[in-house]
Amino acid sequence: MDYLIYPPFYSKSKSLTIVKDFYQDKDFAAYYNTVTSLNEFNLSQNNDYNYYTSNISKDSKILEIGSGNGRIFNQLFEENYNVYGLEPSLNMSTYINSKAKSRIFHMTLQDFTRNSKLLDPNVVIIPATSISLFNTTDFENFLRTLLKKSSFSTIIFDFLKPQYFLQSNRKITTINLDNNTYYYVNFLFDNSIIFNIISTKHKKLGISQKFIWYCTLSSLHTK
């Protein structure tokens, strides 16, 4: 697992608890919820929520992949969209609107692909962070499953701009939040972007591995 730790963080990591999946941890889920509620974060996302709502109908059955803390999901639900979510992290789901928790499937993309009869969505939305957490094989299998559903009509992808990672690659950022100091960095490794974050208060190092990939969607109809 050493390759998942940014080299300048390695010596420090010996005295920290390593959290291999950042999103599964209670303290990092709380950090993520706080950060994504900040105005600076929402502005940097280029108002993705408005893009989704301008392209989907309230009559559609919507499935969001990777609902996380409900940044998109909660807004859709509160505006009376017929939305469901896929989110494997119970800690992230803590922040889902209490009236909508029954609409969250606590499973991975792979689990849903194997149990796709659970829901027949008309529309699938996949925010930028979520789509990068899947490898190409798992994601293509999911798309093929969707294409077999007669109810399915629309999928909306959101990708993070490559320039962001190129500009932030190996640059350590410090953030002070809720009486805690965090140090985080993104770095390129092989076919992945690795995210590391250190919480000094909790003495933890969180990791998230995001995949760099592409696939030809037209080929999915014939494979």
Side-chain angles (χ1 to χ4, degrees), residues 22-23 31-49 52 64 66-72 75 92 127-130 158 160 164-165 175 177 184 186 195 210:
F22 164 86
Y23 300 102
Y31 163 85
Y32 183 89
N33 186 62
T34 300
V35 168
T36 55
S37 68
L38 299 175
N39 288 334
E40 308 93 273
F41 178 89
N42 290 317
L43 288 172
S44 72
Q45 296 302 299
N46 296 319
N47 216 359
D48 55 349
Y49 177 77
Y52 294 138
E64 182 191 21
S67 295
N69 65 330
R71 184 179 69 87
I72 297 297
Q75 292 183 79
M92 292 291 282
T129 300
S130 299
D158 189 6
L160 291 170
Y164 168 77
F165 292 108
I175 181 171
L177 196 67
Y184 69 83
N186 288 292
F195 173 72
K210 298 176 175 63

Side-chain angles (χ1 to χ4, degrees), residues 19-223:
V19 179
K20 191 172 181 180
D21 187 347
F22 164 86
Y23 300 102
Q24 295 287 351
D25 182 82
K26 176 183 177 182
D27 297 317
F28 285 130
Y31 163 85
Y32 183 89
N33 186 62
T34 300
V35 168
T36 55
S37 68
L38 299 175
N39 288 334
E40 308 93 273
F41 178 89
N42 290 317
L43 288 172
S44 72
Q45 296 302 299
N46 296 319
N47 216 359
D48 55 349
Y49 177 77
N50 287 344
Y51 180 83
Y52 294 138
T53 55
S54 67
N55 286 278
I56 55 180
S57 164
K58 290 187 176 180
D59 295 327
S60 297
K61 183 180 291 184
I62 305 158
L63 176 64
E64 182 191 21
I65 305 299
S67 295
N69 65 330
R71 184 179 69 87
I72 297 297
F73 178 92
N74 286 345
Q75 292 183 79
L76 290 172
F77 176 77
E78 289 159 10
E79 292 194 13
N80 297 314
Y81 283 88
N82 185 18
V83 62
Y84 294 81
L86 197 68
E87 178 50 57
S89 172
L90 294 176
N91 286 314
M92 292 291 282
S93 296
T94 299
Y95 304 99
I96 294 292
N97 186 308
S98 60
K99 296 179 180 179
K101 288 185 183 291
S102 62
R103 289 173 167 262
I104 297 293
F105 296 99
H106 293 293
M107 58 177 63
T108 64
L109 187 80
Q110 298 93 322
D111 293 333
F112 186 82
T113 300
R114 290 189 292 267
N115 299 277
S116 61
K117 291 183 180 180
L118 287 172
L119 188 74
D120 290 319
N122 309 120
V123 177
V124 172
I125 59 175
I126 311 178
T129 300
S130 299
I131 198 169
S132 63
L133 296 174
F134 315 125
N135 63 45
T136 52
T137 299
D138 289 337
F139 190 61
E140 287 183 4
N141 287 338
F142 170 71
L143 290 179
R144 291 192 187 96
T145 299
L146 282 182
L147 290 170
K148 293 176 182 177
K149 291 180 175 291
S150 59
S151 61
F152 170 70
S153 64
T154 305
I155 185 168
I156 303 176
F157 301 90
D158 189 6
F159 290 92
L160 291 170
K161 295 178 180 178
Q163 295 91 327
Y164 168 77
F165 292 108
L166 293 174
Q167 292 169 1
S168 64
N169 183 36
R170 299 182 178 273
K171 294 182 179 178
I172 299 174
T173 299
T174 304
I175 181 171
N176 295 301
L177 196 67
D178 295 335
N179 298 313
N180 193 0
T181 301
Y182 298 88
Y183 302 95
Y184 69 83
V185 66
N186 288 292
F187 64 100
L188 301 174
F189 180 85
D190 199 13
N191 67 335
S192 301
I193 298 162
I194 312 295
F195 173 72
N196 281 185
I197 181 168
I198 292 175
S199 167
T200 56
K201 178 180 178 180
H202 302 107
K203 299 186 184 303
K204 294 179 179 180
L205 188 154
I207 298 169
S208 176
Q209 182 176 14
K210 298 176 175 63
F211 294 96
I212 303 171
W213 54 269
Y214 72 92
C215 65
T216 305
L217 296 182
S218 60
S219 68
L220 298 174
H221 291 279
T222 57
K223 288 184 178 180

